[in-house]
């Protein structure tokens, strides 16, 4: 049996710091999408990813269902081997122990030893191909935004419709969440659809977890619930008994959305003035054809009067020159 095969049988030796290449391959796998789930937090004003020690050990010994373990890496057979590998990761500072100080915030722990009950922040960075690609896309997107004035008109219209649609989607989503919470809160329960949607301390995907939350309201809220119920019932009664006013309100919102999509919230004249601000103001052919003949005659008379005045001034100047010569 060769030495490499013996090392593969003993995963502790295979993943030791003396075989750093093998350890890097294991970390690349753990940091990939196939690896254990991690959470995001802020540590020393930087967004980091962390995992509990117990979950990391559990994943090494028994990966989650459907995980494809790399063929060139030996599987870790025992919990003791997994603990030794995690200690090695701490030793070479691929991970470090952290402490929770508040929701979404971590601090570096003075205890550097690996323990299953602790939280560990990843320092090791996997292959940065995806990160470099996203950075490139960000730079290209920035330049595209700065060149927006020279975009083709159809692209400007597309971006406008996309922006308006996204704005309306967010508005109706927030309205739906609020009304759903209000109706269920009145009967004594707190129900939130996407409760962490606006939690800035969480990452993008974590903001959509869990999908719903349902729990009983805290004691002492009965008077508030009764007041809100009366106010909401009064509004519904007004909407039913005053259909003309409510229908006018609905129609006004429909006109607002229509104007928003058509880009006519500002007057067409002001928008045209903005587009033509750098163009010379020359009369069009239609303007010339629509001109009143009387106005043309008035302009000709003004021109003739101007010519007479200039001729008279010229004759007076010549007369003065002749008088001076005679003297």
């Amino acid at each position: 049996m060769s030495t490499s095969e013996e090392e593969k049988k003993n995963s502790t030796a295979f993943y030791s710091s003396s075989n750093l290449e093998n350890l890097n391959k294991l970390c690349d796998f753990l940091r990939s999408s196939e690896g254990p789930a991690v959470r995001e937090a802020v540590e020393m004003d930087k967004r980091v990813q962390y995992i509990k020690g117990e979950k990391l050990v559990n994943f090494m010994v028994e990966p989650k269902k459907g995980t494809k373990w790399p063929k060139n890496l030996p599987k870790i057979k025992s919990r003791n081997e997994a603990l030794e590998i995690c200690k090695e990761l701490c030793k070479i500072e691929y991970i470090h122990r952290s402490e929770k100080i508040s929701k979404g915030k971590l601090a570096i722990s003075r205890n550097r030893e690996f323990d299953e009950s602790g939280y560990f922040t990843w320092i090791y960075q996997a292959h940065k191909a995806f990160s470099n690609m996203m950075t490139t896309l960000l730079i290209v997107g920035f330049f595209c935004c700065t060149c927006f004035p020279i975009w083709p008109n159809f692209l400007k219209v597309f971006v406008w419709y996309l922006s308006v649609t996204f704005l309306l989607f967010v508005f109706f989503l927030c309205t739906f969440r609020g009304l759903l919470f209000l109706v269920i809160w009145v009967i004594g329960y707190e129900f939130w659809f996407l409760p962490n949607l606006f939690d800035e301390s969480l990452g993008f995907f974590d903001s959509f977890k869990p999908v719903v939350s349902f729990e009983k309201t805290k004691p002492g809220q009965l008077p508030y619930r009764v007041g809100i119920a009366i106010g909401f019932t009064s509004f519904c009664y007004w909407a039913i008994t005053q259909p003309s006013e409510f229908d006018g309100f609905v129609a006004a919102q429909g006109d607002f959305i229509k104007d928003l999509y058509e880009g006519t919230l500002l007057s067409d004249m002001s928008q045209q003035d903005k587009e033509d601000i750098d163009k010379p103001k020359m009369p069009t052919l239609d303007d010339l054809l629509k001109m009143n003949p009387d106005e043309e005659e008035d302009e000709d008379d003004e021109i003739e009067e101007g010519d007479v005045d200039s001729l008279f001034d010229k004759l007076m100047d010549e007369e003065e020159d002749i008088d001076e010569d005679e003297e």
Side-chain angles (χ1 to χ4, degrees), residues 105-268:
K105 289 187 178 182
L106 299 175
I108 298 177
S109 175
R110 294 182 178 180
N111 185 3
R112 304 288 176 160
E113 297 296 326
F114 184 85
D115 187 274
E116 292 188 52
S117 61
Y119 295 94
F120 294 86
T121 301
W122 277 105
I123 303 176
Y124 177 83
Q125 296 291 333
H127 294 299
K128 296 184 178 180
F130 179 75
S131 177
N132 294 337
M133 182 185 68
M134 294 300 295
T135 303
T136 303
L137 291 176
L138 181 64
I139 295 173
V140 172
F142 173 77
F143 279 110
C144 289
C145 291
T146 57
C147 296
F148 182 79
I150 61 175
W151 282 18
N153 190 53
F154 74 93
L155 279 180
K156 293 181 180 179
V157 173
F158 172 75
V159 172
W160 172 258
Y161 276 88
L162 187 65
S163 303
V164 171
T165 302
F166 178 74
L167 178 65
L168 292 176
F169 171 75
V170 172
F171 173 77
F172 284 113
L173 176 62
C174 295
T175 304
F176 171 75
R177 290 176 73 246
L179 288 177
L180 188 62
F181 171 81
L182 184 66
V183 171
I184 300 179
W185 178 72
V186 165
I187 61 178
Y189 295 91
E190 293 184 357
F191 177 84
W192 277 113
F193 174 68
L194 299 176
N196 296 324
L197 184 61
F198 299 108
D199 192 341
E200 297 180 355
S201 63
L202 299 178
F204 177 78
F205 295 104
D206 290 336
S207 299
F208 298 94
K209 300 175 185 177
V211 179
V212 296
S213 66
F214 187 83
E215 57 185 15
K216 191 174 180 61
T217 57
K218 297 178 181 179
Q221 297 183 356
L222 181 61
Y224 302 103
R225 301 206 314 267
V226 172
I228 294 296
I230 294 174
F232 184 73
T233 305
S234 302
F235 172 78
C236 295
Y237 176 80
W238 170 81
I240 295 173
T241 58
Q242 303 292 331
S244 58
E245 295 182 11
F246 187 73
D247 291 345
F249 172 77
V250 173
Q253 302 309 310
D255 293 339
F256 173 78
I257 295 176
K258 182 179 178 181
D259 291 339
L260 197 61
Y261 270 105
E262 294 180 353
T264 56
L265 287 178
L266 298 175
S267 65
D268 294 337

Side-chain angles (χ1 to χ4, degrees), residues 26-43:
L26 176 64
C27 289
D28 288 337
F29 168 67
L30 295 175
R31 298 287 283 136
S32 67
S33 57
E34 293 285 341
V38 295
R39 296 183 66 86
E40 290 190 354
V42 176
E43 184 179 76

Side-chain angles (χ1 to χ4, degrees), residues 55-72:
K55 291 185 178 180
L56 182 58
V57 173
N58 290 341
F59 180 87
M60 287 183 176
V61 179
E62 296 181 6
K64 58 186 178 182
K65 188 177 180 181
T67 301
K68 296 179 180 179
W69 192 275
K71 295 180 180 179
N72 60 340

